[in-house]
Amino acid sequence: MEFFVVQLLNSLSYGLLLFMLSSGLTLIFSMMGVLNFAHASFYMLGAYFAYQISRYVGFWPALAIAPLLVGALGAMTERFGLRTVHKYGHVAELLFTFGLFYLIEEVVHLVWGRAPVDYRIPQALDFAAFTIFSTSYPAYRVFMMGVSVAMLLGLFLLLTRTRIGTIIQASLTHPHMVEALGHDVPRIFMLVFGGGAALAGVAGVIGGNAFVTEPGMASAVGSIVFVVVVFGGMGSLAGAFVASLFFGAIQTYTVAMDYSLLDLAARLGMGIAADSPVRGLLSVSVAQTAPVLPYLLMVLMLIVRPTGLMGTRET
Amino acid sequence: MLDVRDLHAYYGKSHILHGVDMKVAEGEIVSLLGRNGAGRSTTIKAILGQVVLEGSVRFRGEEMAGLKTFQIARKGVGYVPENRDIFPTLTVRQNLVLGMKGTRERGRWKLDDMYRLFPVLKQRADAPAGVMSGGEQQMLTLCRTLMGDPDLVMIDEPTEGLAPRIVEQVAELFDEMKSRGVSILLVEQKLAIALRISQRLYVMGHGRIVFEGTPQELRTDDSVRKEWLEV
């Protein structure tokens, strides 16, 4: 029970963090029809910027400045990069974001080196928030959840309650029509790209110190975010939300489960002979399958329901 | 008001429009006729800046060729697409409000005008636009464009697939637009409607204008009708 509750909280905070990344990615996808491979790179930049800024002025200013910087970089990427590449079609755009991913990774290598940097959670939040059963739960995790929920609430209100939000919603599906009504759709694209990058930046600031800030973090998180977006349905915010929490849970729970099919068989009273050829396979524990499980689920989803959980668009 | 001269348009390498010349005067209703593939919709898209073009498109004396679509729209050119591009997840009211270029109602049309002309839009104001019938969506598309207070509205096949009762309502709206000084460039396949409401007509074929004249002139010109219009 204790294991279950603590992991539930962990998976929630991780899932919400994933949603901060997948929401931006899925919005950018539905608007431009392009999967931004470099999206998780903005997450990484958020973490590194926050590390650098917090060395001089502390964590709190970094929490505000780093996402703004990342957002500005994202907006510039759209304005001066993607917009130019756009006329050559989706493949060129895809290759552009792919190249950007490696570019950012190399820049990070050059500036901060290949080893993890010492980006720590702020002292003000380095205490136990409460104790469940016998486990004390860190306050920083609670803070992460708070920031994520606040950001997502803000995003929701922006999209549903403001004029620019309705313009964005309309542009997701009918950009040409929105432009014919006199709205500057290219600017909206830039703002959405910048906003998505900024959101990824926030995730980087609060996730970089909770986990590890190192040059591999973009590819590690990027592939999971990719899975989340495909699983939830490309272009669907609701789908991305459900899938984020789902994969947050899958990843958190499975790594801690040390059972295998062999154990299950033993419990059911089915003995597997020691020299059986399948014994090796059956003895693989759930924890060992954790890294491959998300991809397996994605492939299954694509076979059963190619549009994903709640997507409407063929991928 | 609208003065198109020697307009050429291209989709990739294929040359679609071969020197189109046409005019729409202030407060005039002009129809653009022709079979599918004659180049009517491409002409509209070229005026809107959505395809690559050569030649001149002047609106109130100002050159528009080379401007972006949203800039052209802001000059006062409205567009109602053939495929009723409503925003299905937004409410009917949100759709109408997005037609406005700023945050306030200004110009000739107010939300209440639309609700008065088409009471169904008021009844459904808070429902998602996607649940409305085809005819209602057509009304919404027209009204949404009018909310942006255009001086010229280009309308692509407004009565396609609509019930006769709704076609009548669309015709009434055109009268209302005319009385408020809005010019209309109508792309139409149904000859009867075009002959009834327009002051002048153009017939297109193979990316060129092949006839220009009044409804009376087109009625009497059997050869143009046979060669370029009748299927």
Side-chain angles (χ1 to χ4, degrees):
Chain A
M1 189 63 198
E2 178 180 345
F3 164 79
F4 180 79
V5 174
V6 172
Q7 294 297 16
L8 183 71
L9 287 170
N10 281 339
S11 72
L12 209 59
S13 69
Y14 183 56
L16 285 167
L17 192 79
L18 280 181
F19 185 58
M20 276 213 267
L21 287 159
S22 58
S23 56
L25 187 60
T26 210
L27 274 182
I28 291 168
F29 173 78
S30 28
M31 199 162 221
M32 309 186 181
V34 166
L35 200 62
N36 176 19
F37 271 104
H39 199 68
S41 305
F42 293 118
Y43 163 78
M44 176 164 72
L45 283 180
Y48 274 98
F49 285 180
Y51 158 71
Q52 201 65 44
I53 294 166
S54 61
R55 286 180 63 183
Y56 298 106
V57 290
F59 176 77
W60 302 105
L63 180 61
I65 300 169
L68 289 177
L69 279 178
V70 175
L73 262 179
M76 278 161 61
T77 303
E78 196 284 330
R79 176 68 187 78
F80 300 106
L82 268 182
R83 200 178 293 185
T84 318
V85 178
H86 179 73
K87 51 178 166 288
Y88 302 109
H90 284 340
V91 173
E93 289 177 292
L94 211 60
L95 289 174
F96 173 85
T97 64
F98 207 61
L100 188 67
F101 172 86
Y102 286 107
L103 184 74
I104 292 176
E105 192 172 277
E106 285 309 314
V107 168
V108 166
H109 280 159
L110 280 175
V111 179
W112 288 284
R114 287 170 188 273
V117 294
D118 186 25
Y119 176 35
R120 289 187 196 175
I121 58 177
Q123 273 187 341
L125 287 171
D126 198 5
F127 61 92
F130 48 81
T131 309
I132 322 162
F133 303 102
S134 60
T135 311
S136 56
Y137 201 74
Y140 192 74
R141 283 278 180 158
V142 179
F143 167 77
M144 274 173 77
M145 283 190 251
V147 172
S148 314
V149 169
M151 283 292 144
L152 303 175
L153 208 62
L155 178 70
F156 176 76
L157 291 175
L158 176 85
L159 282 176
T160 54
R161 298 290 145 84
T162 66
R163 182 171 165 83
I164 190 148
T166 50
I167 296 177
I168 292 173
Q169 280 194 61
S171 307
L172 291 181
T173 47
H174 299 80
H176 293 296
M177 191 59 233
V178 176
E179 193 170 1
L181 291 173
H183 302 293
D184 189 347
V185 171
R187 201 179 109 239
I188 297 287
F189 276 20
M190 185 179 85
L191 290 177
V192 168
F193 206 95
L199 213 54
V202 175
V205 178
I206 61 173
N209 48 8
F211 308 113
V212 193
T213 299
E214 43 106 13
M217 66 191 288
S219 46
V221 169
S223 43
I224 288 299
V225 171
F226 182 79
V227 168
V228 164
V229 168
V230 173
F231 192 87
M234 307 262 264
S236 161
L237 269 181
F241 183 69
V242 173
S244 296
L245 294 184
F246 177 65
F247 281 104
I250 289 253
Q251 286 215 299
T252 322
Y253 278 104
T254 48
V255 289
M257 286 165 121
D258 202 16
Y259 313 113
S260 67
L261 287 174
L262 204 62
D263 298 334
L264 183 73
R267 270 208 188 181
L268 294 175
M270 301 191 322
I272 307 281
D275 56 350
S276 163
V278 290
R279 196 182 167 90
L281 187 65
L282 292 180
S283 66
V284 173
S285 71
V286 176
Q288 281 174 289
T289 63
V292 79
L293 210 53
Y295 306 100
L296 194 66
L297 287 169
M298 176 176 83
V299 170
L300 282 178
M301 177 59 92
L302 284 174
I303 292 171
V304 179
R305 201 179 148 82
T307 53
L309 217 49
M310 298 184 192
T312 47
R313 190 165 177 154
E314 293 289 332
T315 50
Chain B
M1 165 170 273
L2 178 74
D3 189 355
V4 176
R5 276 187 207 166
D6 196 27
L7 183 67
H8 293 255
Y10 305 83
Y11 278 133
K13 277 179 186 158
S14 49
H15 192 173
I16 308 288
L17 298 182
H18 303 267
V20 170
D21 291 278
M22 61 188 289
K23 281 184 184 173
V24 180
E26 198 106 28
E28 201 180 22
I29 301 185
V30 174
S31 285
L32 189 57
L33 299 163
R35 293 200 186 102
N36 279 336
R40 298 165 308 162
S41 293
T42 307
T43 306
I44 301 279
K45 284 191 179 142
I47 295 170
L48 264 180
Q50 288 182 342
V51 291
V52 183
L53 61 92
E54 279 166 18
S56 159
V57 178
R58 287 180 168 270
F59 185 67
R60 291 213 209 89
E62 214 178 319
E63 184 58 56
M64 294 200 303
L67 291 186
K68 295 204 173 75
T69 303
F70 74 90
Q71 293 168 320
I72 292 169
R74 286 180 187 177
K75 301 262 182 216
V77 179
Y79 171 57
V80 180
E82 176 187 17
N83 45 10
R84 298 175 198 145
D85 271 338
I86 53 145
F87 309 131
T89 55
L90 301 182
T91 66
V92 170
R93 191 199 318 270
Q94 283 175 322
N95 266 270
L96 289 170
V97 169
L98 273 196
M100 304 186 322
K101 293 182 175 88
T103 46
R104 277 177 302 139
E105 299 165 288
R106 50 187 155 204
R108 322 167 231 234
W109 308 90
K110 306 255 180 300
L111 263 180
D112 286 338
D113 291 328
M114 303 308 170
Y115 290 159
R116 187 171 44 74
L117 285 162
F118 301 108
V120 65
L121 295 183
K122 187 172 188 178
Q123 290 157 21
R124 296 283 187 98
D126 294 311
V131 304
M132 294 204 302
S133 74
E136 290 164 351
Q137 293 189 7
Q138 182 65 57
M139 301 299 151
L140 179 59
T141 332
L142 272 162
C143 293
R144 185 181 60 189
T145 299
L146 291 179
M147 288 303 291
D149 196 27
D151 298 312
L152 167 72
V153 185
M154 303 193 291
I155 310 176
D156 204 346
E157 305 256 11
T159 58
E160 178 73 16
L162 294 188
R165 189 177 49 84
I166 300 184
V167 173
E168 209 45 55
Q169 277 188 301
V170 172
E172 278 168 34
L173 178 62
F174 287 176
D175 288 338
E176 179 81 25
M177 287 162 70
K178 205 178 163 215
S179 73
R180 299 194 189 200
V182 180
S183 311
I184 300 177
L185 177 59
L186 184 66
V187 167
E188 192 49 86
Q189 238 185 343
K190 292 184 191 130
L191 188 59
I193 294 171
L195 286 173
R196 204 179 87 203
I197 64 170
S198 18
Q199 272 113 58
R200 284 188 311 112
L201 308 112
Y202 291 94
V203 178
M204 287 192 80
H206 303 320
R208 291 185 177 83
I209 300 286
V210 293
F211 170 88
E212 175 189 351
T214 63
Q216 188 54 38
E217 286 164 345
L218 185 59
R219 262 192 207 103
T220 52
D221 194 334
D222 281 342
S223 64
V224 167
R225 289 213 317 272
K226 280 217 176 71
E227 191 176 351
W228 300 106
L229 293 173
E230 282 159 20
V231 197

